[in-house]
Amino acid sequence: MIYVYVFEIGVKVVGHLILMLCCWILSLISMNWFISGGIMEKFTFLSGDRGKRWVKWLENISGKGLKIQHQYYQYIESKKVGWMKILVLWICFWVIASLWIFWLMNSQVYEKRKESLGSMCDERARMLQDQFNVSMNHIQALSILISTFHHGKNPSAIDQTTFARYTDRTTFERPLTSGVAYAVKVLHSEREEFEKQQGWTIKRMDKLEQTPVQEAEVLEPSPVQEEYAPVIFAQDTVSHVISLDMFSGEEDRDNVLRARASGKGVVTAPFRLFKTNRLGVILTFAVYKSELPINATPNELIQATDGYLGGIFDIESLVEKLLHQLASKQTILVNVYDTTDPLHPISMYGSNVTDDGMIHVSTLNFGDPFRKHEMRCRFKQKASWPWLSIMTSIVVLVIALLVGHIFYATVNRIAKVEEDCRKMEELKKRAEAADVAKSQFLATVSHEIRTPMNGVLGMLQMLMDTELDITQQDYVRTAQGSGETLVALINEVLDQARIESGKLELEAVRFDLRAILDDVLSLFSGKSQKKGIELAVYISDGVPESLIGDPGRFRQIITNLMGNSIKFTEKGHIFVTVNLAEEVMSSIGVETETSLKNTLSGFPVADRCRSWEGFKTVSPDSPMCPQPISSIVPELINLIVSVEDTGAGIPSEAQSRVFTPFMQVGPSISRIHGGTGIGLSISKCLVRLMKGEIGFVSEPNVGSTFTFTAVFTSGDSDSNESKNQRITKQPKSVSSEFQGLKALVVDSRLVRAKVTRYHFQRLGIHVEVASDLSQAISRMTSGTTVIKMVLVEKEAWEKDPELSDLFVDEFRKYENSDPLKLFLLANSVVSSKTTAAKPACYTPMVIMKPLRASMLAASLHSSMGVGNKKTSRNGGLPLQSLEYLLHGRQILVVDDNKVNLKVAAGALKKFEATKRIRDGEQNVNDRILRGEEPVEAYENISNWHVPILAMTADVIQATHEECLKYGMDGYVSKPFDHQQLYREVARFLKSA
């Protein structure tokens, strides 16, 4: 009954321990949840409606788990004293259980060892006894042989020679005997005649022990007695016993008398053999007359006795020979004893060392019922320590004590955990309140900073449109640059805050990737031309014209990467390539080491293949590299974008912290080049939101290559699926005026010629490439194709002035007969002016790099006299487009800030739009001044069927969504530029 009770207690303790461990793990998960601010920050892939449902489900489970945990902790706290008693019982039970386990396992080992010893000892005893029986049977048969052929025949058929030869040949049948001898029965009355007949005197046997064997001839004659038993036949090994009287020895006399009276073989007590001085015994059989009756009495047996046949056994050598036949001889020690006298056993084999260890006794039966023999066996080595039993019991006890310790620690920490849970709840509420306050603070700071910055930048832009001298223009540009830098810094800080709070989300709108990269090139064209570095973009033909994603965030990534390249590159080039990931995967292993002639500018670059080595979706060595995404989901497009430069590179010791927020290569970087060090960190987070990866390779004094992947949806599919999304329409790059034209590009660098061909093909122009001017002359004079324009790279134009003059002369021949235009491609204004001035007789038109579709179209329009020549500065969006859209439009501008009203008025005036400015007269603006949301005011203007744009300095995503939710048509953040305004206005005015 007590065992059942203890078992029930053990099961109950284990059950509570498991439940407490589960609660402890749940508390750790919950604590990590609260500290990290939720699971959304840890798993960015849980986005969208499905991800939000999963998160909500996990939060419900966590809340219920915490409630169960809290209730269980309260229950444990109330039963704390009872649990301590159970803990004491638990420890006592397992101490006893471990001792019992040790005793049980040790007993099993002992029994197994004892069984093994008994098996080996019985085997040896059985073999010894079997061989002794074989020898005994043969000796008995030999006694019958002597009775028949010696006593049964006259004259005898056996003599000493015959006996010795026969016994030697049959030794193998007596494996345990060392010799055989036959003694004849001689009465005292027959002694004299017997001695004469044999030729020797019957000797006394008991004196042989004191006399050496070689002096046996001088032994004393046997004393007078009624009967003698002299040895007449003996095996050669014991021939020294011939003539000895067996009756003269006390032990032999008793042995002979017992043998003839019993009719069976008898064994002597162990004694030292005469010749070898080793322990041995003699097995004696009486030889009877052949006419002896079967059921003879002892007296009849005595009267019928003719002699005595004895077999000599050397016990030590025989047992040793037997043990040598066994493989496990060395395992145990064997002793053979004569135990006829139990109190004084006689050792026949082995040492007399007493051992209190394990001993096994096997009984031996040598056929003599009077004498008792046994074999005693023991292991040669003592049993080793029962380490298995000891370790098992110790491990069980340690485990039990550990479980008890966990139980004890858990019970003691319940109160602390309960208090920690209460603190965590309070901290969670504080964190949520702090997060709300942080968001409100960011929104307020963003609004309050952007509002005056909108005025500053707007007024500076208006000032630039006035008549200023060169010094004043430089001052205004400097102020504009500083203001734009401040706005960019504010945007980066806000983005970093959104990333840390997990509230940064991506849009899903249709956009033109090529137009976006043209915009980015326009942004950096001034700096690249000033430094004289090559700036180029190449997009693979496999990339769709239209994609669905977040163009603003994609532009931000490209801008960050190219901005860093512009900062740290003083010579060479910056090259942006966009390809499908499948194209890159198929080209892996084909590309060789980049040579000088195989780069954009001729400067060496870092191996860009190393920049995506760790990408799971690109690297073929990665076990997680599946088949291309487009083959699984055809609508998805996986792009791989590389930004390659020949700048200063990143030192090896600083490469590990490139993506760490607010970390830069060195302390002097921010002083020399500016920046906050969070651009790359933000880019990495944005790439992760686009389900991509980012990496880089950099070599000091060679350059860097940053590569990232991004997954978009193809915008060439059915547009009905995104009818509820905002659609961003980019102007078409291809102009119908240039369709079918053919151009000849002269460039010695294949990569640069490939980029030039890409941009001209976007305009519908077929391009042929010549490596130098001589090859270009051959193409022009061949007459196989009609070339409308020739574009010569500055490097090829300056390489050979004489060849350039020859080319001009040849060019003029075709210019008179067929309109043919010559363009020079240059990186900087200074070099282009110098180059254009060299041939004094002819000045080609210069096209400044970087090449963009809109800039090329404008240059060709201007040179060839077709289309509208009015374009925006730096090759941006045509100002004619905005002027065309806004000309004559009635536009109402409502703002509570007079500076913003002036900026808006100046911008609209530039585009000849009719504007109405209201600062506080309209009811809508009154509600704004009272702090009401503009979307609420819009609900009361249901009769207006005009587009409404929300223009605000609040760039929080929630505000954007709120504006669209209440029916506004668009959203423009301050400070705004012409391109942003054009994109929003074009959505609903272009078709009107």
Side-chain angles (χ1 to χ4, degrees), residues 242-296:
I242 294 177
S243 76
L244 295 180
D245 183 12
M246 295 294 106
F247 271 15
S248 61
E250 181 178 356
E251 182 68 27
D252 290 319
R253 180 184 180 87
D254 295 339
N255 200 44
V256 167
L257 293 177
R258 285 193 302 111
R260 72 180 183 181
S262 63
K264 299 180 180 179
V266 296
V267 181
T268 63
F271 65 94
R272 295 287 174 182
L273 299 178
F274 297 140
K275 191 173 183 179
T276 62
N277 200 33
R278 296 167 65 93
L279 282 177
V281 295
I282 298 177
L283 174 64
T284 305
F285 278 97
V287 178
Y288 299 103
K289 294 181 174 57
S290 58
E291 61 273 8
L292 181 68
I294 297 176
N295 297 323

Side-chain angles (χ1 to χ4, degrees), residues 613-626 693:
E613 283 181 347
F615 288 7
K616 299 176 183 177
T617 56
V618 176
S619 176
D621 298 331
S622 174
M624 300 183 64
C625 178
E693 301 167 281

Side-chain angles (χ1 to χ4, degrees), residues 76-88 411:
I76 293 294
E77 182 68 20
S78 62
K79 301 291 184 179
K80 186 173 181 180
V81 177
W83 292 124
M84 298 305 296
K85 294 180 180 179
I86 294 176
L87 178 61
V88 174
V411 171

